[in-house]
Amino acid sequence: MNIRGKLIIIGGAVDKGSFTETDLDKNAVKNLNFFEAGILKRIIDESKHKEESRIEIITTASKIPREIGPEYVKALNYLGAKNVDVLHIEKREQAMDPEVLERLKTADVVMFTGGDQLRLTSILGGTPFHDIILDKYKKEDFIYAGTSAGAAAASNNMIYQGSSSEALLKGEVKITSGLGLIDGVIIDTHFVQRGRIGRLFQTVVGNPKVLGIGLGEDTGLLITNNQMEAIGSGLVILVDGREIKDTNLTQIELGQPISINHLVTHVMSKFDTFNLDTFKMHIQSSQYV
């Protein structure tokens, strides 16, 4: 199916976790230097009406939405966006409100903030709000953008919990259903800084058809149909399990270490691309060109 919309997923930047928000309420404005000008400007540039696009900030994942929302508005206004507002949806009933749904229908971009992705999916999942987002993404020149929790929740399946230090112990990584904008991938955020590669390894070895995507901070992917482009200043790690030769996954008890033989990884940086149909990566500044 040809998807008309675009997906922009961002790894986040501050120590607020993709399922916890420690210290976010302290110096919230300072912590929001993850409004990286490069990525936010790219969102505006990719949108249907550029600076005139209607952008709605969705703060559902955050525990302090009233502080976070206005900071996004300020950041986007600073970059030239003229039509930005905040939709505070904190209960499922609000995701069924006719006024809220009308605002969503007129939006060109929705920007999901960080926080707790399980909060995001449990409040929005299966509501008319969720249905409209999926429909607009499939049929319109529309952008779903999400940072941290907003990125992790974009795929069909999402990681919602799992210790970085014990991620390669069987059963330590918890997975549930996401918002379902993209299939065949699973996304983790704050990836490089928090050493979360083990979380993706365990996820991929359990179903090698799924491509693991690890987003570093101040880093994202622009996904248009099946083409992914790295944006921002950091690294995107891809974990491809299709060529796994062996594992002990089904032979060990819960809590025991997992072995994996021949797991393929790719590292992307700004302007590199990866095709989800062919699984081929193109390095923009290759030393061999």
Side-chain angles (χ1 to χ4, degrees):
M1 180 180 178
N2 187 46
I3 303 291
R4 291 196 61 196
K6 298 170 186 172
L7 188 62
I8 297 178
I9 50 175
I10 308 160
V14 295
D15 187 20
K16 61 192 183 104
S18 42
F19 52 89
T20 58
E21 289 197 3
T22 56
D23 298 328
L24 183 56
D25 53 342
K26 300 174 187 173
N27 302 313
V29 176
K30 270 188 186 176
N31 282 342
L32 292 174
N33 54 11
F34 75 106
F35 294 136
E36 51 280 47
I39 293 178
L40 284 191
K41 186 64 166 64
R42 185 66 182 270
I43 291 171
I44 296 169
D45 291 344
E46 292 286 339
S47 67
K48 184 176 183 180
H49 301 295
K50 309 300 190 268
E51 284 81 3
E52 303 293 335
S53 290
R54 179 69 187 159
I55 302 175
E56 294 284 4
I57 309 301
I58 315 296
T59 57
T60 305
S62 176
K63 292 178 183 174
I64 54 167
R66 305 288 164 173
E67 295 176 53
I68 295 300
E71 292 304 317
Y72 273 97
V73 175
K74 274 193 264 183
L76 287 161
N77 286 163
Y78 179 79
L79 293 170
K82 299 172 183 173
N83 198 9
V84 187
D85 210 341
V86 182
L87 265 175
H88 292 298
I89 302 173
E90 299 169 42
K91 299 177 181 177
R92 284 184 66 83
E93 290 82 358
Q94 292 171 289
M96 306 173 195
D97 185 298
E99 289 185 19
V100 170
L101 298 180
E102 279 306 309
R103 280 178 59 179
L104 177 60
K105 286 176 184 176
T106 63
D108 302 300
V109 179
V110 290
M111 176 77 196
F112 282 78
T113 69
D116 181 343
Q117 56 259 47
L118 198 55
R119 175 177 168 81
L120 184 57
T121 56
S122 64
I123 291 174
L124 297 182
T127 64
F129 191 91
H130 183 198
D131 292 339
I132 291 169
I133 284 179
L134 291 173
D135 193 61
K136 285 175 71 73
Y137 176 65
K138 290 172 185 173
K139 299 177 181 177
E140 298 180 21
D141 186 357
F142 172 76
I143 292 177
Y144 173 105
T147 187
S148 191
S155 52
N156 270 4
N157 297 302
M158 70 175 189
I159 298 171
Y160 72 92
Q161 191 172 339
S163 162
S164 298
S165 60
E166 298 179 346
L168 269 176
L169 301 182
K170 183 177 177 179
E172 284 298 318
V173 179
K174 307 296 190 292
I175 299 170
T176 190
S177 298
L179 294 177
L181 283 92
I182 183 170
D183 195 11
V185 305
I186 196 157
I187 301 157
D188 209 352
T189 58
H190 301 278
F191 192 72
V192 178
Q193 291 77 2
R194 299 190 187 177
R196 288 181 167 169
I197 196 161
R199 302 204 321 183
L200 274 193
F201 285 172
Q202 178 161 173
T203 303
V204 170
V205 75
N207 184 359
K209 181 176 173 59
V210 174
L211 179 72
I213 298 175
L215 300 169
E217 296 178 357
D218 188 33
T219 307
L221 282 173
L222 166 63
I223 304 174
T224 308
N225 272 313
N226 286 321
Q227 185 80 355
M228 305 195 301
E229 178 193 340
I231 57 178
S233 65
L235 300 175
V236 178
I237 312 295
L238 304 179
V239 179
D240 178 1
R242 295 174 309 148
E243 296 182 29
I244 290 174
K245 296 185 185 302
D246 197 7
T247 178
N248 63 351
L249 183 65
T250 62
Q251 302 302 112
I252 58 174
E253 302 295 329
L254 289 175
Q256 292 187 329
I258 299 170
S259 301
I260 311 168
N261 179 16
H262 209 264
L263 187 61
V264 175
T265 60
H266 308 276
V267 182
M268 300 175 69
S269 59
K270 193 172 184 179
F271 302 131
D272 293 344
T273 58
F274 187 90
N275 188 289
L276 288 167
D277 286 332
T278 63
F279 272 57
K280 299 295 184 185
M281 177 177 162
H282 173 72
I283 296 178
Q284 179 67 21
S285 301
S286 170
Q287 67 184 26
Y288 300 119
V289 175

